[in-house]
Amino acid sequence: MSSAWPVLSALFFVFIVTFIIFPGAFFDEHFAMTDSFTNVTLIIILVFNVTDTIGRKAGALISLPDGVVYILSLLRLALVVLTIIIVKDDGDSNFIEKDAVKMMNLALFAFTNGFVSTQCAIRAGKFVPEDLRDKIGIYVSLSIGLGILCGSVIAIPVGSSLPVNWQN
């Protein structure tokens, strides 16, 4: 099982990164298309789930080299930084204020979540002998669950440092 740790670590990291800013930070963004928090919430959840599902399907159909998957896992941090910049933007940047930029960031974030996590989960079994492949599923599940837990815990201080752009 020790040879599977890089892919399990990448899977763990994917979910840490996802739960650091999703859904909370995306809900703090203001969209020009609507002033309704309810509408924005529905749009964000819809876009995330659809593009995440597309990413999962693509991850099952396309196989990238291990190193590329690990790098993509790490590069998702750039999307976290971009999301924080978007949320903290005070309106001085016309580019960042565009709804299309915000939606593309969300879609790319969700797509890479589905794509990279699927790539990691699928390839985890190839790092262990045939007789241990049924047990690797436990480690995949632990990597996902612990990634969600750690990302959610990290999201507390990250979220509290972000401005709330919605007035109730």
Side-chain angles (χ1 to χ4, degrees):
M1 295 279 189
S2 64
S3 59
W5 76 266
V7 72
L8 293 173
S9 297
L11 183 60
F12 171 73
F13 190 71
V14 164
F15 283 94
I16 286 177
V17 169
T18 297
F19 279 83
I20 285 174
I21 61 167
F22 187 83
F26 287 100
F27 291 156
D28 284 341
E29 295 177 7
H30 184 269
F31 290 84
M33 68 179 118
T34 181
D35 284 332
S36 168
F37 181 72
T38 304
N39 290 344
V40 168
T41 302
L42 291 172
I43 291 167
I44 288 171
I45 295 295
L46 178 68
V47 169
F48 185 90
N49 285 325
V50 168
T51 53
D52 177 70
T53 301
I54 293 168
R56 290 186 190 288
K57 187 66 174 171
L61 296 174
I62 301 166
S63 183
L64 297 177
D66 295 342
V68 173
V69 172
Y70 303 149
I71 290 169
L72 286 174
S73 174
L74 293 172
L75 284 176
R76 293 187 76 241
L77 274 177
L79 296 172
V80 170
V81 172
L82 179 58
T83 302
I84 290 171
I85 289 169
I86 289 171
V87 171
K88 285 189 168 247
D89 184 61
D90 58 6
D92 291 339
S93 171
N94 287 333
F95 179 73
I96 289 179
E97 281 299 308
K98 302 285 187 211
D99 286 353
V101 172
K102 295 173 184 178
M103 283 296 155
M104 288 302 296
N105 178 56
L106 173 62
L108 186 58
F109 185 75
F111 179 86
T112 58
N113 179 70
F115 184 83
V116 177
S117 64
T118 300
Q119 289 278 301
C120 292
I122 287 173
R123 68 187 62 230
K126 80 175 188 177
F127 291 104
V128 295
E130 184 79 32
D131 61 326
L132 294 175
R133 291 205 175 142
D134 59 334
K135 293 178 179 41
I136 196 70
I138 294 168
Y139 292 100
V140 167
S141 297
L142 282 171
S143 297
I144 293 169
L146 290 173
I148 291 169
L149 175 66
C150 293
S152 298
V153 169
I154 295 168
I156 295 168
V158 170
S160 65
S161 71
L162 297 175
V164 178
N165 292 319
W166 292 98
Q167 303 300 320
N168 293 329

